[in-house]
Amino acid sequence: MRVDERHSLAYIVKGNIALSMSRPEAALAAFRKAQSLKPDLRSYQGLVQALLKIPKHKEALFAARDAVKAMSHSAKALTLMGDAYAHIADGKEKACKFYESALRLEPGYLGAVLALADLHVLEGRNGEAILLLQKYLKNWADGALHTKLAQILAATGKVGESLSHFQIALSMNPQNELAKKGLDRLEKQMKGMDPDALEEEENEVEDVDGDQQEEEFL
């Protein structure tokens, strides 16, 4: 950004880093800057994610609608609508319809599959979530699908099946952090241990100087 203050991708990257550090307000500022320079799907996705985390659910819905207006034939844009409605009290049914529309438009878009599975779990439909993921795993061997399925199976007490899917996910990508954490928790539970009791909290170090230097770019 110091080299080129109008480099939209740099702001998108910064926004994603801020989200990963649980700093949605900083992420929102970065994504808005990227959007003002060069609107594209990635900045819309960032805007919606940041607004949902703040949380500003109505604003997230407006941002998702803008994405659909700009890219009406994009499964990813339709998924953003689903994400926004999933966080609104009476919007779960609409969220489901948007995810399903995204999958009709692009059957291989796994982002919509994972989001729909999460919605099923949120609504207490664990069985439907499991069937959905199993269906897509028949055609798409994907580590994220195996991880999500393993997490839901673990939550429903199907330890053996869960263990198998965590192991498959890690065989596909040994750096899959969600699968590593999930497998670790599952193994501790199988040994009769409390997985939460042994987790150590990491102390976050604030980068005050870095924050001050960044202000000029926002």
Side-chain angles (χ1 to χ4, degrees):
M1 285 184 276
R2 289 192 179 96
V3 174
D4 180 4
E5 65 180 14
R6 296 186 60 79
H7 198 300
S8 61
L9 180 57
Y11 288 97
I12 290 173
V13 172
K14 180 179 178 180
N16 285 324
I17 292 172
L19 280 178
S20 72
M21 296 171 66
S22 299
R23 296 173 59 187
E25 294 281 1
L28 180 60
F31 288 125
R32 279 180 170 162
K33 181 65 175 180
Q35 188 78 350
S36 69
L37 294 171
K38 185 181 178 182
D40 70 6
L41 181 63
R42 291 168 299 182
S43 55
Y44 279 119
Q45 288 175 318
L47 281 172
V48 173
Q49 291 171 23
L51 287 165
L52 289 175
K53 286 181 180 294
I54 287 175
K56 294 182 178 179
H57 297 158
K58 287 292 185 181
E59 287 188 40
L61 181 58
F62 297 150
R65 283 174 179 165
D66 288 340
V68 171
K69 288 177 184 176
M71 294 161 280
S72 59
H73 297 292
S74 168
K76 293 180 176 65
L78 291 174
T79 299
L80 287 181
M81 286 292 293
D83 292 343
Y85 271 116
H87 287 78
I88 294 175
D90 58 350
K92 304 297 187 296
E93 185 176 347
K94 282 188 176 181
C96 186
K97 290 180 179 178
F98 273 108
Y99 290 143
E100 291 171 346
S101 295
L103 289 171
R104 283 195 297 271
L105 185 63
E106 188 180 331
Y109 180 46
L110 300 184
V113 178
L114 294 169
L116 182 55
D118 282 336
L119 182 60
H120 284 323
V121 171
L122 183 65
E123 293 287 278
R125 301 188 295 267
N126 289 342
E128 289 186 42
I130 290 171
L131 290 174
L132 174 71
L133 293 167
Q134 289 173 334
K135 171 186 172 183
Y136 276 87
L137 277 170
K138 291 178 181 177
N139 297 312
W140 285 276
D142 182 85
L145 293 180
H146 279 291
T147 302
K148 181 66 68 177
L149 180 55
Q151 291 171 330
I152 300 171
L153 289 168
T156 55
K158 299 179 180 179
V159 176
E161 293 179 64
S162 175
L163 182 65
S164 175
H165 284 284
F166 275 134
Q167 291 172 336
I168 293 172
L170 285 170
S171 70
M172 298 174 74
N173 176 16
Q175 304 306 316
N176 185 330
E177 289 298 325
L178 285 177
K180 286 198 291 188
K181 290 179 180 178
L183 182 59
D184 182 60
R185 287 180 61 86
L186 193 63
E187 289 176 340
K188 287 174 181 175
Q189 289 173 339
M190 291 170 68
K191 294 175 182 177
M193 301 164 62
D194 181 357
D196 295 316
L198 299 177
E199 289 184 355
E200 294 182 0
E201 294 185 1
E202 295 183 359
N203 293 322
E204 295 186 1
V205 179
E206 294 187 4
D207 183 8
V208 178
D209 292 337
D211 290 343
Q212 291 174 346
Q213 292 174 1
E214 290 171 3
E215 290 299 322
E216 62 184 286
F217 301 114
L218 295 178

